[in-house]
Structures are given as structure tokens and as C-alpha cells.
Amino acid sequence: MKRIAFNPSLTMPIIDIIVAIILMAGTGYFWFHTKGEARLAEAHNDLAEAEAQNAAKLQGTLDKQVEAEDELATAQQTREDKAQYVQFLLDRIEIENETIREAKESD
């Protein structure tokens, strides 16, 4: 009796795996050069637009900050001027009170 021996060759599955890898690499290369480059270019354009919008927003914010700092400086100067004027008025009131007191004492 003869036994039937099944001896598959090891080279056939290895060749199949190599061919599958080559096909996947070729498919990826083909996909990238047909659709991937367009998506990449679109992403670069979106990035440039986003950077431009962010720069515009940042410039607007910086302009608002400069305006706010100017308004703050003006408000502080106004407050200091008013405080000096109040002190001047208080000094004048004190002088006038002394003048009135002296006038009353002399009468």
C-alpha cells in the first residue's frame, strides 16, 4: 500500500505574500498619486486660509488691546487731574475758611 503524501512547497506561500505586499504597495502608491496629492494640496490650502484668518483675528485683538491701553491711560490721567483739582479746591476752601475766621476774630 502506498500512502499519498501531501508535501506543499514552502516557496508558494512566500511568493504569494511577496506578491500581496507588492500589490498593496503599488495600490497605495497609485492612490497617493491620484487622490492623496489632491487631498494634501487641499489640506495645505486650508492650513494657509486658517493661518490667514488667525493672523487677522490676532491683529484685531492686538489693535483692541492697544485701544484699551490708550483708554486706560486716558482714564488714569483724567482721574489724576480730577484728584489734583479736588486737592486744589480743598486747599482753597481751607484758605477761605481761615480768611472767614480771621474776619470774624477781627470784628
Side-chain angles (χ1 to χ4, degrees):
M1 281 218 269
K2 260 184 166 184
R3 286 184 161 182
I4 300 175
F6 181 70
N7 278 334
S9 173
L10 283 178
T11 57
M12 192 58 101
I14 292 173
I15 291 174
D16 288 342
I17 291 172
I18 291 172
V19 167
I21 291 172
I22 291 172
L23 283 175
M24 287 182 356
T27 303
Y29 180 81
F30 179 74
W31 177 86
F32 176 75
H33 284 289
T34 56
K35 295 182 182 177
E37 286 182 339
R39 286 185 180 178
L40 191 59
E42 184 179 336
H44 283 295
N45 290 339
D46 291 344
L47 177 64
E49 289 176 12
E51 286 176 346
Q53 288 176 355
N54 287 341
K57 286 181 183 178
L58 179 62
Q59 188 60 40
T61 303
L62 291 175
D63 291 342
K64 286 180 183 178
Q65 180 184 3
V66 168
E67 289 174 8
E69 287 173 353
D70 291 343
E71 288 177 8
L72 176 64
T74 303
Q76 288 175 340
Q77 185 63 39
T78 304
R79 185 181 64 208
E80 290 173 10
D81 292 345
K82 287 181 180 181
Q84 289 176 354
Y85 185 65
V86 166
Q87 187 60 43
F88 169 75
L89 290 177
L90 289 174
D91 292 343
R92 287 298 298 166
I93 289 171
E94 185 64 34
I95 291 170
E96 292 299 324
N97 282 339
E98 267 187 48
T99 306
I100 292 171
R101 231 181 284 127
E102 288 174 1
K104 284 183 181 179
E105 287 176 3
S106 66
D107 286 337

